[in-house]
Amino acid sequence: MIISMTLRFNGRGRATGLKNKVNPSLRFRRQNFQAKIETQKMKNSAKRYHSGGSFGIFTPVGLAAALGGLILVVVCSWFFVFSAKFLVNQAAIEGGTTLTAEQIDKIFYNLQDKRIFFIIPGNHYLFLDAKDISAEAQKLYPHIEAATNFQKDFPNKVVFGLAEKKYAFVLIGNDGRHYLVDAGGIVLGALRTAAPEGLIYLKTAEPSGSLLPGAKVLNEAFLGFAEKIKELWPAAWQFKPVSMEIYSEKEAGEHRIFTSEGWFIKTERGDNPENLIQNLSLILQDEIKTDEVRQNLAYIDLRLSNRAFYCSKGQACSR
């Protein structure tokens, strides 16, 4: 009789019977066995990728995907940078401004001609800011001080205000043309309408051809003197200063302050405005006591520190 038996070898030839066989489900539950399986799976996956597996970048599919992504980036960049859709071509101005629509357009035309990074137009929605508009506006129109309250409205519109410099004087050129000048002596532009009331006219020997917007004229001492005279002038006086001129540019030069009644005051360069107003008040009280005498004046000379002279119309001194 033949007996069939299944034997397993353990160690060095020791046979164990069937009764000692371990159930497979128990063997797979041994400690760390599952962790080892997962680690091995990750290693095998990495090997397949680096060796050109199905999803590797160097496969035909991977190269096609990379090339397609690159083309998409280039097309999107080209569209965003060069498309007119993102170039600012609409501007809403908050508040008042002396600039015309054509003048504002010129600001943006000039910005468009400039280039950022050598290729991007200067009026591109992404890069345009208040500093760019301020700089270009000041270069074209010196009376513009800055762009204010700047906002963007996607994709091609901006909203901002324009702060303008305040003019302090009207400058009369040697040919009679009139120009607006700020307190620093900068020409803001030609005066094309009637000047606002209260401005003092300044006269200069400068040819009008040199009085371009942005040009600096006269000296600050004279401008400061004129502004101070205007500030200190008594409101009770019926006559007002309407214009001033530097009569002589020599070291001991003469300034002339013309009044609304047609007569003028002679002063010397460097005179103190406070002293001048005080001296003028004294001579009007002590010597020129009536309106009739004052209105018939040709001039009052206050150049000397201890005495004053006045001359009436029709006298030899008035010629």
Side-chain angles (χ1 to χ4, degrees):
M1 184 176 59
I2 300 174
I3 299 174
S4 176
M5 182 178 292
T6 301
L7 302 176
R8 293 183 69 243
F9 292 92
N10 185 14
R12 294 185 178 182
R14 284 190 304 169
T16 58
L18 291 175
K19 62 179 180 180
N20 293 327
K21 184 176 180 181
V22 180
N23 190 295
S25 63
L26 296 179
R27 286 189 287 116
F28 284 102
R29 291 177 184 171
R30 289 177 181 172
Q31 190 176 8
N32 298 327
F33 189 81
Q34 292 294 334
K36 291 180 180 179
I37 291 176
E38 293 299 327
T39 301
Q40 188 60 43
K41 285 182 180 180
M42 293 176 63
K43 290 181 179 180
N44 292 340
S45 177
K47 286 180 180 179
R48 285 197 303 270
Y49 178 81
H50 290 295
S51 62
S54 300
F55 300 98
I57 192 172
F58 297 109
T59 63
V61 175
L63 289 173
L67 182 59
L70 180 61
I71 293 174
L72 181 62
V73 169
V74 171
V75 170
C76 290
S77 299
W78 181 91
F79 178 73
F80 188 71
V81 170
F82 295 104
S83 173
K85 184 178 180 62
F86 301 102
L87 299 183
V88 174
N89 58 15
Q90 299 181 61
I93 310 300
E94 291 185 340
T97 178
T98 60
L99 297 185
T100 64
E102 291 75 15
Q103 289 174 318
I104 294 173
D105 285 345
K106 186 170 178 59
I107 295 174
F108 289 94
Y109 289 146
N110 286 9
L111 287 170
Q112 184 171 339
D113 291 339
K114 294 183 177 181
R115 289 295 179 267
I116 301 170
F117 305 128
F118 303 103
I119 56 172
I120 304 174
N123 66 329
H124 195 282
Y125 177 87
L126 182 63
F127 298 95
L128 186 65
D129 58 22
K131 291 182 179 178
D132 297 326
I133 295 177
S134 295
E136 193 62 35
Q138 289 167 2
K139 186 168 68 175
L140 291 172
Y141 317 110
H143 68 286
I144 298 298
E145 191 167 11
T148 61
N149 303 323
F150 181 80
Q151 299 177 30
K152 292 182 179 181
D153 188 0
F154 188 82
N156 55 13
K157 182 179 178 180
V158 292
V159 181
F160 59 93
L162 286 171
E164 302 188 5
K165 295 178 181 177
K166 294 181 179 179
Y167 39 79
F169 307 101
V170 175
L171 182 68
I172 305 175
N174 66 343
D175 61 356
R177 294 184 182 180
H178 292 51
Y179 302 85
L180 292 173
V181 179
D182 69 7
I186 302 298
V187 177
L188 303 180
L191 179 63
R192 297 183 176 88
T193 59
E197 293 184 3
L199 287 183
I200 294 179
Y201 287 70
L202 306 177
K203 296 181 180 180
T204 177
E206 291 286 336
S208 293
S210 65
L211 300 179
L212 300 175
K216 184 173 177 60
V217 295
L218 305 174
N219 58 71
E220 293 183 3
F222 178 63
L223 293 170
F225 175 81
E227 187 69 22
K228 196 67 176 177
I229 289 294
K230 178 182 175 182
E231 177 186 335
L232 296 174
W233 200 267
W237 288 355
Q238 298 177 12
F239 55 95
K240 305 296 179 185
V242 293
S243 67
M244 299 185 193
E245 68 173 305
I246 301 176
Y247 186 73
S248 173
E249 288 288 352
K250 296 179 180 179
E251 185 176 351
E254 177 186 319
H255 294 170
R256 292 185 176 183
I257 304 172
F258 292 84
T259 72
S260 55
E261 292 181 336
W263 54 274
F264 63 90
I265 305 162
K266 292 183 178 182
T267 70
E268 195 169 42
R269 179 177 296 187
D271 279 353
N272 184 290
E274 288 85 353
N275 291 340
L276 186 145
I277 296 295
Q278 184 178 5
N279 294 337
L280 180 58
S281 179
L282 289 174
I283 193 172
L284 290 174
Q285 292 175 9
D286 298 340
E287 301 292 336
I288 308 172
K289 298 180 180 180
T290 66
D291 292 347
E292 183 180 358
V293 174
R294 188 188 69 245
Q295 293 171 2
N296 195 44
L297 286 173
Y299 65 83
I300 297 176
D301 191 342
L302 297 177
R303 289 177 295 175
L304 298 180
S305 59
N306 57 354
R307 66 182 64 183
F309 299 93
Y310 66 91
C311 178
S312 299
K313 297 175 183 176
Q315 295 183 346
C317 58
S318 65
R319 298 187 183 91

